[in-house]
Amino acid sequence: IPKALEAKLPGKITFGAEVQEIRQSADGVRIVYKTNKNGKTSEITGDYCICTIPLPVLKNIPADFTPQMKNAIKSINYATTGKIGLQFKNRFWEKDDRILGGITTTNMDISQIWYPSNDFLSQKGVLVGYYNFGQNAVNYGNLSLSQRQARAISQGAKIHPQYAQEFETSFSLAWHKIKYSEGGWASYSASDRTNYYPILNEPQGRIHLAGEHLSYLTGWMAGAFESARIAVSRIHEEVLKESKVTSKVG
């Protein structure tokens, strides 16, 4: 999905840009950022800003938000979660165990094993060797990459003894340790939905927030798209109102 969106916006995306400030005036917005090319700060201006930065990151960026919005941003907790992808030489779970897609739920600290639902009965394959949450995710996140791998293989082999012989390589992550995420997804309590969620969904002048955290489908791309649609629709309606006022004045 990101690659498809990128293809529709050739030359319009600045990659490796770290936002330093989010500012606005009565007639526009100004974003201060630095790139990883030279570390120098640059600015971009526009009529509106749609900000999709996760809240744990956004709360530390100087921005022209009201005190109520700043308080709401810093009050939302994010899920502690992690995953590992394990690549195997053969899709033994399909050929030997007749598992075609789906999930094995365990009582171990790996929590779950997810099986791919594509390229059935082909040669190689990747399993999600663990998808865990809470303290289990913290414990795995504190391990080195090689230690996470060893632990996932050791635990998963209790279900699939083929692990050791068929394993090739892995990739793991702990979302709460990723610099520009600092968590898996927004984790709202009932009181958060009442006290903070409405504030987060209200535009701050010309700045609109969007993302999975501005939806009831937190953690899902569907929530992020729905939030984006709402933000764009609001801006579209506001611009139409402004143009009608201008034309009447003119």
Side-chain angles (χ1 to χ4, degrees), residues 173-233:
L173 51 78
W175 272 288
H176 54 285
K177 289 196 167 188
I178 295 177
K179 184 176 182 181
Y180 301 116
S181 298
E182 297 189 21
W185 50 83
S187 183
Y188 286 99
S189 66
S191 62
D192 290 339
R193 288 288 187 186
T194 299
N195 297 322
Y196 302 126
Y197 186 70
I199 297 173
L200 294 168
N201 271 283
E202 280 299 313
Q204 290 280 290
R206 292 177 171 269
I207 303 171
H208 297 245
L209 303 190
E212 58 83 23
H213 49 292
L214 276 303
S215 78
Y216 278 84
L217 293 171
T218 55
W220 294 91
M221 287 184 282
F225 273 97
E226 177 66 10
S227 171
R229 184 191 66 79
I230 292 171
V232 171
S233 297

Side-chain angles (χ1 to χ4, degrees), residues 21-42:
E21 298 178 41
I22 302 173
R23 302 301 185 187
Q24 66 173 318
S25 63
D27 56 359
V29 295
R30 177 173 60 89
I31 309 301
V32 180
Y33 67 94
K34 67 178 181 180
T35 63
N36 52 23
K37 292 181 179 179
N38 52 29
K40 294 181 179 179
T41 58
S42 302

Side-chain angles (χ1 to χ4, degrees), residues 5 9 48-52 201 203 206-211 214 223-241:
L5 293 172
L9 298 167
Y48 294 90
C49 168
I50 299 178
C51 176
T52 61
N201 271 283
R206 292 177 171 269
I207 303 171
H208 297 245
L209 303 190
L214 276 303
F225 273 97
E226 177 66 10
S227 171
R229 184 191 66 79
I230 292 171
V232 171
S233 297
R234 282 177 173 170
I235 293 173
H236 178 69
E237 291 169 3
E238 187 171 333
V239 170
L240 286 179
K241 289 179 182 177

